[in-house]
Amino acid sequence: MRRAVVLGGSIAGLLAARVLSDHADEVLVLERDDVAPSGAFGGDREPRPGVPQGTQMHALLDAGRRRIDQWFPGFATELVADGATLADTGSSVHSYLEGSLKVPVDGVEMISATRPFLEAHLRRRVMALDNLRLVNGRVRGLAFTGERVSGVRYAGTGTADEEVLDADLVVDATGRASRIGAWLQEGGWPEPTTRRMHVDLGYATALFRRPEGPHGATLAQSLATLPDGRLRLGTLGRVEGDRWIVLVAGYADDRPGRGIEEFLLRCKEDPAAPFRQLAEDGEPIGEPVSYRHPDNRRRDFHLLDRFPAGLIATGDTLASFNPIYGQGMSSATMHASCLAAYLESGPSLRDPAWSYFKQTRAVVDDAWQTSALNDLKLPHVPGPRPRGFKVASRLSDLIVRASVTDPVIHRRFLEVMHMLSPAKTLMRPGTLMRAARAVRKRNTPAAGAPLNTAA
């Protein structure tokens, strides 16, 4: 194609641009924030307005890490050399369930770094490509010619004048707040149905200086259940600048507040040792920053009976999930892989990209299943619960409990959580039977030992 235009220059948009660079003479990335190296948000450490959750903890799951390394060889090595942490589940990632440390298993890795740091490194690699160019401006709408999208209407920085960028293909990566539905309606096209699941998650993130801990973790995760069935979650990781980033999360009226004293209290109350230790010997860097995630949402493009050619959606424009599962950035890499497969199939850009939306639907369905099944267990989430939910919920709980002590189950669990394997693999009969044996063994006390009620 002659020109492709990507709307939005965050993770999803940058990865789409990388894929498009193999298929277009010119790729333009239209971004409203000034992210040029000399711009206000061009640095490695400053969150930008277009990513309101950019101040919060981020970790790049193994599926995302592997795909980005394929497009940009040595990317993970570059991040680590500049201060990020590559953590392995067999040694430096410690996962806790109700305070019990899960058995370590090797071979699954994740990157711990701040979001601005990771995004800035990816942006530099993408923008170094010869046929890419950054355009600073705000999207005003889409331009239509006949049955296709033929460009983007936008206003440059500091002006109300509208211009049009002609394009053979437009990729919407503007996120969960995308106005793609309104843009389609303006052109006489139907708006995709948006599904929402109310979860009312609140979380807060703080940065710390602290000495090396005796627990040996460079990344730790904790999950604990409150008496009413709601969850409390915590994650901490070493990031660039010899700092630690720490996140605490809760639901509904158990959301963390904004003060450092309450933040430290939640760390002290966490049953996992690394969080209590951090509260004791960590030195906070400023106040925590809170964020609220009211709902998960997905746009069902595949259910439309009419859609214009020349238009694709990716990243959170397609679906945004409960962020505690860390699926967002890795989902974006998988959407980019679907875009690559679609373009490599030699499609006619005069036709709607139905095969692309079919491929991404499978990615979204799997990630949605992983987060939605767990979210629907929460007592404050209204549902509706699908048929078979109670059985699926019990089997899921069985897998999680077995992952504490059984290394085979833990590895399979991690492969699903890191988006390396589909969620359905955990429901195989052999896996469920092994999980049942592991839980039964864990709950059977040795002679003279008390029953382990943590399970």
Side-chain angles (χ1 to χ4, degrees):
M1 68 190 88
R2 182 181 59 85
R3 176 192 284 169
V5 175
V6 179
L7 311 182
S10 66
I11 302 294
L14 292 171
L15 293 171
R18 167 62 186 88
V19 168
L20 289 165
S21 70
D22 290 336
H23 300 272
D25 296 333
E26 181 183 32
V27 180
L28 304 182
V29 178
L30 180 60
E31 169 56 48
R32 68 179 188 177
D33 293 331
D34 185 2
V35 294
S38 59
F41 306 103
D44 290 356
R45 303 190 186 278
E46 189 175 2
R48 56 189 179 83
V51 186
Q53 76 280 19
T55 55
Q56 303 298 315
M57 181 171 186
H58 284 69
L60 182 61
L61 303 181
D62 209 2
R65 181 193 65 80
R66 295 183 187 189
R67 281 177 169 81
I68 294 177
D69 260 350
Q70 290 173 353
W71 286 312
F72 298 104
F75 182 74
T77 302
E78 173 189 310
L79 290 178
V80 172
D82 209 12
T85 296
L86 180 63
D88 189 289
T89 54
S91 55
S92 55
V93 178
H94 291 187
S95 297
Y96 295 83
L97 179 64
E98 310 295 352
S100 295
L101 178 61
K102 290 189 177 186
V103 59
V105 290
D106 293 324
V108 179
E109 297 178 328
M110 56 199 305
I111 296 285
S112 176
T114 64
R115 170 65 181 259
F117 175 90
L118 195 154
E119 187 178 295
H121 277 71
L122 181 60
R123 187 184 305 118
R124 280 197 292 270
R125 294 290 294 267
V126 172
M127 291 305 164
L129 298 171
D130 291 338
N131 58 343
L132 262 80
R133 182 161 62 90
L134 185 69
V135 178
N136 198 212
R138 290 178 176 268
V139 183
R140 291 287 183 83
L142 302 173
F144 294 88
T145 300
E147 298 292 297
R148 63 171 286 109
V149 170
S150 57
V152 179
R153 296 184 289 109
Y154 83 103
T157 303
T159 177
D161 296 338
E162 192 171 283
E163 301 179 58
V164 176
L165 290 173
D166 295 330
D168 298 310
L169 183 64
V170 173
V171 178
D172 181 9
T174 56
R176 61 185 271 125
S178 169
R179 299 191 66 247
I180 192 170
W183 298 335
L184 287 168
Q185 286 188 328
E186 289 171 0
W189 296 88
E191 178 181 1
T193 299
T194 300
R195 275 190 270 171
R196 286 180 167 87
M197 177 182 291
H198 176 79
V199 294
D200 196 11
L201 171 71
Y203 50 103
T205 293
L207 289 166
F208 287 78
R209 296 186 186 91
R210 61 162 304 209
E212 188 69 34
H215 50 77
T218 55
L219 195 149
Q221 303 163 319
S222 174
L223 176 65
T225 308
L226 298 175
D228 66 359
R230 286 180 298 178
L231 301 177
R232 272 197 177 185
L233 308 109
T235 306
L236 64 83
R238 184 189 298 161
V239 296
E240 71 280 359
D242 292 324
R243 300 170 298 169
W244 292 79
I245 192 167
V246 187
L247 177 145
V248 295
Y251 291 91
D253 58 5
D254 186 51
R255 296 189 301 270
R258 298 183 178 182
I260 190 63
E261 294 303 322
E262 181 183 343
F263 189 95
L264 292 173
L265 178 61
R266 288 180 82 105
C267 290
K268 291 176 183 177
E269 294 174 344
D270 196 291
F275 295 87
R276 298 196 305 272
Q277 180 182 344
L278 179 128
E280 293 173 0
D281 63 19
E283 177 190 347
I285 305 173
E287 292 289 317
V289 181
S290 60
Y291 185 77
R292 187 173 182 182
H293 176 84
D295 56 29
N296 309 332
R297 61 183 68 171
R298 60 181 292 179
R299 292 179 174 90
D300 289 328
F301 291 93
H302 63 281
L303 296 179
L304 294 171
D305 55 5
R306 293 179 59 242
F307 195 75
L311 179 62
I312 272 174
T314 188
D316 284 0
T317 302
L318 280 173
S320 66
F321 314 98
N322 186 328
I324 66 169
Y325 301 107
Q327 298 168 311
M329 293 190 294
S330 291
S331 287
T333 68
M334 298 176 80
H335 300 165
S337 291
C338 292
L339 177 59
Y342 166 70
L343 294 174
E344 288 162 7
S345 70
S348 169
L349 297 181
R350 295 187 296 271
D351 298 324
W354 293 122
S355 62
Y356 167 81
F357 286 112
K358 181 179 180 180
Q359 290 180 68
T360 54
R361 178 193 174 185
V363 174
V364 171
D365 281 350
D366 199 63
W368 187 267
Q369 178 182 342
T370 299
S371 61
L373 177 61
N374 289 292
D375 290 339
L376 286 171
K377 298 175 187 177
L378 301 172
H380 72 285
V381 174
R385 273 74 175 168
R387 178 183 298 180
F389 169 74
K390 288 186 177 179
V391 173
S393 178
R394 288 173 182 169
L395 294 177
S396 173
D397 287 344
L398 179 70
I399 294 292
V400 172
R401 290 156 60 194
S403 69
V404 175
T405 56
D406 189 291
V408 174
I409 298 298
H410 192 196
R411 172 175 291 281
R412 293 174 185 173
F413 173 80
L414 286 172
E415 288 174 349
V416 169
M417 298 307 295
H418 280 257
M419 307 183 79
L420 298 170
S421 298
K424 64 183 180 182
T425 59
L426 293 178
M427 296 295 109
R428 291 172 176 167
T431 298
L432 292 172
M433 291 176 63
R434 184 182 181 100
R437 288 194 298 268
V439 170
R440 187 162 56 246
K441 181 179 180 180
R442 185 182 177 202
N443 286 342
T444 302
L451 181 65
N452 181 356
T453 57

